[in-house]
Amino acid sequence: MIRNCFCFLSIILLTACNKSEVPTDYAEANAPAAIYPDYQGVTVPVNMAPLHFEWTGQADEVVTSLTVADEQLVLGGTKVCPTPSEWQQLAAKAVGGDSIRVDMYARSGNDWKHYRPFGIYVSPDSIDPWISYRLISPSYVTYEELTLNQRCLESYEERVIYDNMLCSTEQNGQCINCHHSQLGNPRRTMFHARQNMGGTMINYDGQLLKVNLKTDATLSAGVYPAWHPTLPNLIAFSTNLTMQSFHTRDIDKIEVLDSQSDLILYDIDKNEVATIENAPTEFETFPCWTPDGRWLYYASARFEYADTARSEEAEAIMRYKDIRYNIYRKAFDPANRLFGPRELVFAADSLGLSATLPRISPNGRYLLMAVGEWGTFHIWHRDADLWLIDLQKNNEARPFTEVNSAEVESYHTWSTSGRWIVFSSRRDDGNYTRPFFAHVDEHGHATKPFELPAEDPNYHRELMKSYNVPEFLLGPVEIAPQTFADALKKEAKAVRFVQ
């Protein structure tokens, strides 16, 4: 059944009401179909919204056939957009077995050509139904027009969690960043607001808390967060003195780096912060808990300032290629809130590399990280790739070649099942980051990544915004944007520093 039109042949034929038909007289092109997004050979979760794509080659007419077993859907036009019911019917037959076979036919003049068919595979492993992200222009000055959004992966529904302009004025701008949740719980979320009406906004079981995490004993307010998985009142943060420097003769446009950074632990119930790690010659950042909450992983770079004639910021900028991060971990005793000594997990600097953003899989076996030649902010490094460490095989590390491209890969996270990852990539055009998804099996092997589906397949090529830091959610955040704005307009509660 498709769009209320029924045709019964030797197979169940699902045909759109424009009565498109597969041509019978055609030549074999012996070439792949030219489509965007590239969904050829991808594996998608059973609950994913329909994959919509379009023909990008020259043609006067295009017909596409999608077939699984005894069902066939035939669609006419350059844009291939099955409805949710059509897609679900095909996907249900393809789950864990045959792929959805896609045959595309294009006519130029009187001549039809049939292009090499491809499959779309459907995994029975479902994906978390929502993701959150910032939508931001890839600019360096005008950042106020940004939003923190959430998108349902089972449909194309998108909602604004918070609009940065609600508290920005012409004289006083605001910047929201570093959104996060506890294990995808939409009732335990947080984000930072910088500059005007700044503070850390915490949605703690529906109660909104605005706190100022900066104390006289810490470098800054909390920056990169990691919510403890079993103790909901604890959040680890890095504190960072961050700056940016612009390249004049480099394809990488900008360098974002820290001149100092430490780790702190915030207790929501007690409204207290304590130091986790603050070695004077180390830049500690990007904390991440293991699923049992007994280990804290993080990235840290050893860097000693030598030029007393320059400021720390100036020297760090001059020596930015010397800043390389390794991955460490510290044992954590939840009962006594005590951390053990640091342990080296991955010495990226010994390979002439820098590793950041450690993320542990829900089963505790794998660590996914971003790796580049130097630095911490790999989203601006074209050489940045994702790497995978098998923590059960002597911390064996490898480039995650199945998901990497010639462009940037960064800002990655695991689904709560551990069977899917989402990450930001600039593989489409080199300028805009967009979310890509891949299935990861029990052996740590990934399928070909696919781009976040859009209702209009050309949507992302027309959207002049980058998706920043995609994070999975188990449901939508139900607090209205104006409610967040009203809470942000209140004075931030100062925290207490404890030894």
Side-chain angles (χ1 to χ4, degrees), residues 5-278:
C5 291
F6 295 80
C7 297
F8 295 91
L9 303 177
S10 59
I11 62 174
I12 301 174
L13 180 64
L14 300 125
T15 307
C17 293
N18 59 12
K19 299 193 181 299
S20 297
E21 295 181 354
V22 174
T24 57
D25 184 12
Y26 55 83
E28 292 291 344
N30 195 28
I35 65 167
Y36 173 82
D38 178 13
Y39 290 145
Q40 302 189 48
V42 300
T43 298
V44 300
V46 64
N47 60 326
M48 179 61 74
L51 300 192
H52 288 179
F53 55 93
E54 64 180 325
W55 173 264
T56 59
Q58 296 294 321
D60 296 321
E61 186 179 357
V62 176
V63 171
T64 303
S65 167
L66 295 90
T67 308
V68 183
D70 59 350
E71 288 193 18
Q72 182 185 35
L73 168 64
V74 179
L75 298 172
T78 57
K79 293 186 177 182
V80 182
C81 301
T83 66
S85 60
E86 292 167 354
W87 179 261
Q88 290 162 9
Q89 194 165 340
L90 291 168
K93 290 224 168 186
V95 172
D98 294 336
S99 68
I100 300 174
R101 173 177 164 139
V102 182
D103 291 86
M104 300 195 75
Y105 304 81
R107 178 180 62 81
S108 296
N110 296 321
D111 299 323
W112 283 94
K113 286 186 178 180
H114 173 226
Y115 288 81
R116 194 176 300 151
F118 61 90
I120 297 174
Y121 300 87
V122 181
S123 169
D125 295 325
S126 61
I127 198 168
D128 296 342
W130 289 77
I131 59 170
S132 62
Y133 45 84
R134 286 196 306 164
L135 277 183
I136 184 171
S137 299
S139 61
Y140 317 110
V141 180
T142 56
Y143 53 81
E144 280 88 355
E145 291 186 18
L146 66 89
T147 55
L148 175 56
N149 286 21
Q150 54 190 342
R151 158 74 193 271
C152 181
L153 299 180
E154 298 176 334
S155 67
Y156 308 108
E157 180 185 358
E158 185 178 39
R159 305 180 191 175
V160 173
I161 297 175
Y162 178 68
D163 187 333
N164 195 64
M165 295 300 291
L166 290 175
C167 288
S168 287
T169 67
E170 188 172 342
Q171 292 77 27
N172 297 294
Q174 188 180 76
C175 177
I176 54 168
N177 51 32
C178 300
H179 58 277
H180 183 57
S181 69
Q182 188 205 31
L183 300 176
N185 185 345
R187 289 179 53 80
R188 292 177 183 167
T189 62
M190 58 151 293
F191 63 86
H192 298 307
R194 306 297 185 197
Q195 298 176 295
N196 187 39
M197 302 179 185
T200 298
M201 179 59 60
I202 300 175
N203 166 23
Y204 191 33
D205 293 336
Q207 180 184 5
L208 293 186
L209 309 171
K210 182 185 178 184
V211 296
N212 177 12
L213 294 172
K214 175 71 175 76
T215 73
D216 292 339
T218 56
L219 294 174
S220 69
V223 181
Y224 306 119
W227 209 313
H228 196 278
T230 63
L231 301 174
N233 60 311
L234 295 184
I235 307 176
F237 290 94
S238 63
T239 59
N240 307 63
L241 298 183
T242 303
M243 55 192 166
Q244 57 186 11
S245 176
F246 298 91
H247 296 291
T248 57
R249 294 185 298 171
D250 197 305
I251 195 167
D252 290 332
K253 301 177 179 66
I254 184 174
E255 193 69 34
V256 180
L257 65 161
D258 295 331
S259 62
Q260 295 183 54
S261 56
D262 298 326
L263 299 178
I264 61 172
L265 185 68
Y266 175 54
D267 187 319
I268 300 174
D269 295 339
K270 295 181 179 180
N271 195 40
E272 294 176 346
V273 295
T275 298
I276 298 174
E277 189 86 345
N278 63 349

Side-chain angles (χ1 to χ4, degrees), residues 328-393:
Y328 295 89
R329 69 175 187 173
K330 294 170 73 71
F332 179 66
D333 179 356
N336 298 308
R337 310 287 174 87
L338 295 176
F339 288 91
R342 77 172 188 173
E343 300 177 11
L344 179 64
V345 176
F346 178 62
D349 61 354
S350 68
L351 304 174
L353 298 171
S354 181
T356 65
L357 287 165
R359 296 290 183 265
I360 309 296
S361 63
N363 64 3
R365 177 171 179 178
Y366 297 107
L367 183 154
L368 191 61
M369 58 187 174
V371 176
E373 292 185 13
W374 61 77
T376 179
F377 220 75
H378 286 330
I379 194 66
W380 288 113
H381 297 159
R382 287 168 57 92
D383 64 286
D385 284 330
L386 298 185
W387 281 48
L388 192 73
I389 296 178
D390 191 333
L391 300 174
Q392 293 182 7
K393 290 187 176 180

Side-chain angles (χ1 to χ4, degrees), residues 418-438:
R419 284 290 174 258
W420 299 93
I421 59 171
V422 61
F423 60 95
S424 293
S425 178
R426 286 197 169 99
R427 66 186 62 198
D428 277 348
D429 54 27
N431 291 311
Y432 294 92
T433 51
R434 300 183 179 105
F436 282 76
F437 303 83

